[in-house]
DNA sequence: CCGGGCATTGGACGTTTGTCCAAGTTGATC
DNA sequence: GATCAACTTGGACAAACGTCCAATGCCCGG
């Protein structure tokens, strides 16, 4: 009978949920499978969360709050190319590599996001779902332009949303056709489209 | 006891499935709800399809084969603007309008596509899932360039994939943040990116 | 007009689902 | 060391699930 603080138990359950969804899809994310993955008894779930739907919502928030941001931050690592286009192309290509390496991971993100977005279809004005993503990507774009000695001709926040949208599109399209080369081409196309919106600083 | 040819019954069940998913999500697409929507007895489903999963797969194919193509074709209707950028911007904006008008519809498409793509994650090379979409959009792009007296500097087939990817991204991102103005801005950004790849013919 | 095969259907089957609860255990506080 | 709230847990519950089948109805080729 492991005694675990409530908050920590919630964290563990959310992590287990993400693992299950990556493996079995959101349709396979049942209460029993989640607690088995977390190595907990069934009752533990309803002690930590009101119901399964609440757990899924918490998992969706965790994805946009943490998991996804970590991946996005990783896109900028490494290369210190002086050319802005090269920088952006490299970042985009890195995302495609990440997608190919763990397709179930990205698929899980999308499944969770769509699932939670359905609940609020005819509902309140969206909360800050993708907000954190936009800000992380905006910081990356600003930093890239800086490193290359260029300046954006549009607000980075706006460009960040375009970029996030682009990454989502690359993901769904690749999941549909599994065409690696085409995904890279699409990634490069968007990278070039972005650099068209800069001027030498 | 309505006597219906097997093929027609399959069509009706697929249509009912899409209606149910648009309303209740893919999680709500159960055998009983689908046959109720189709006004059929429960047994009819397993006479027309091997199992529910097969019906969902058939529905996913129907979407990419018919439903979605009709929508895409509609993007070119109406405006006979001589300027290519205007044409593309108009088409993109029309898609955003369509998305706002029937969000559950586009959401259903994505849910079905992700669901069926999971089944083939570690599976055979993708079949022609998005293929039909690419060709329809490629035809639209060719026609638009023609009307505007311009020529693409890249194969239209490649640009068509970029466009489909873009539309998917616009959809998921809007579903996440419900930001109408931002969705339009993203749409216009991509329209401009496309026109950058033309030269006067 | 009648027989044989296809189509139809309601009900039943065993599983799995989410949720709940009462009994038991732990660890900090007085 | 007694007390009490917080935590844990296994089992029970009804409801919904996918699948199957025997019985019935219909239509058409002969």
């Amino acid at each position: 009978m492991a005694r675990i603080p409530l908050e920590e138990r919630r964290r563990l359950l959310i992590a287990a949920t993400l693992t299950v969804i990556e493996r079995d899809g959101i349709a396979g994310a049942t209460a029993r499978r989640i607690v088995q993955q977390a190595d907990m008894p069934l009752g533990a779930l309803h002690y930590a969360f009101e119901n399964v739907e609440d757990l899924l919502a918490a998992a969706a928030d965790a994805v946009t709050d943490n998991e996804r941001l970590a991946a996005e931050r990783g896109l900028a690592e490494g290369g210190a190319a002086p050319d802005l286009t090269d920088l952006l192309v490299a970042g985009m290509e890195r995302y495609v590599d990440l997608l190919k390496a763990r397709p179930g991971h990205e698929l899980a993100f999308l499944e969770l996001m769509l699932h939670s977005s359905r609940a609020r279809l005819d509902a309140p004005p969206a909360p800050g779902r993708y907000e954190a993503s936009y800000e992380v990507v905006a910081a990356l774009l600003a930093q890239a332009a800086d490193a290359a000695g260029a300046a954006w001709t549009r607000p980075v926040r706006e460009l960040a949303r375009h970029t996030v949208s682009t990454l989502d599109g690359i993901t769904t399209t690749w999941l549909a056709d599994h065409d690696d080369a085409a995904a890279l081409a699409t990634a490069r196309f968007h990278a070039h489209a972005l650099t068209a919106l800069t001027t030498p600083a």
Side-chain angles (χ1 to χ4, degrees), chain A:
Chain A
M1 195 193 273
R3 216 172 169 82
I4 304 174
L6 190 55
E7 195 176 353
E8 167 73 358
R9 190 175 286 274
R10 288 208 184 96
R11 260 195 356 92
L12 292 174
L13 280 169
I14 288 173
T17 301
L18 295 180
T19 302
V20 170
I21 294 181
E22 176 169 354
R23 181 176 7 98
D24 303 327
I26 198 164
T30 66
R32 282 171 179 79
R33 256 201 270 233
I34 291 171
V35 294
Q36 183 193 2
Q37 173 68 38
D39 199 31
M40 295 179 190
L42 180 55
L45 192 152
H46 284 88
Y47 183 76
F49 291 93
E50 190 69 28
N51 50 41
V52 173
E53 198 57 38
D54 276 13
L55 169 55
L56 288 180
D61 287 342
V63 161
T64 45
D65 286 353
N66 302 112
E67 293 266 345
R68 183 163 177 160
L69 299 194
E72 282 159 349
R73 265 186 265 265
L75 297 183
E77 276 171 10
D83 184 54
L84 183 57
T85 302
D86 290 350
L87 267 176
L88 294 178
V89 166
M92 290 280 190
E93 285 177 347
R94 203 169 319 214
Y95 180 77
V96 173
D97 288 342
L98 196 127
L99 173 61
K100 288 195 299 184
R102 295 187 70 183
H105 205 243
E106 299 301 314
L107 183 44
F109 285 7
L110 277 174
E111 283 182 295
L112 254 180
M113 199 274 287
L114 292 188
H115 181 83
S116 85
S117 86
R118 176 167 292 279
R120 338 192 181 200
L121 249 196
D122 329 282
R129 193 146 288 303
Y130 268 19
E131 212 59 40
S133 269
Y134 299 156
E135 277 167 29
V136 169
V137 173
L140 288 181
L141 290 177
Q143 162 194 331
D146 255 14
W152 297 106
T153 60
R154 305 282 309 166
V156 280
R157 165 58 204 272
E158 180 183 326
L159 299 181
R161 191 185 184 277
H162 300 165
T163 305
V164 169
S165 166
T166 291
L167 294 179
D168 271 3
I170 288 174
T171 307
T172 59
T173 310
W174 181 85
L175 285 171
D177 70 8
H178 276 82
D179 188 333
D180 297 352
L184 283 175
T186 299
R188 287 192 210 100
F189 163 69
H190 286 115
H192 282 94
L194 273 180
T195 50
L197 296 182
T198 53
T199 52

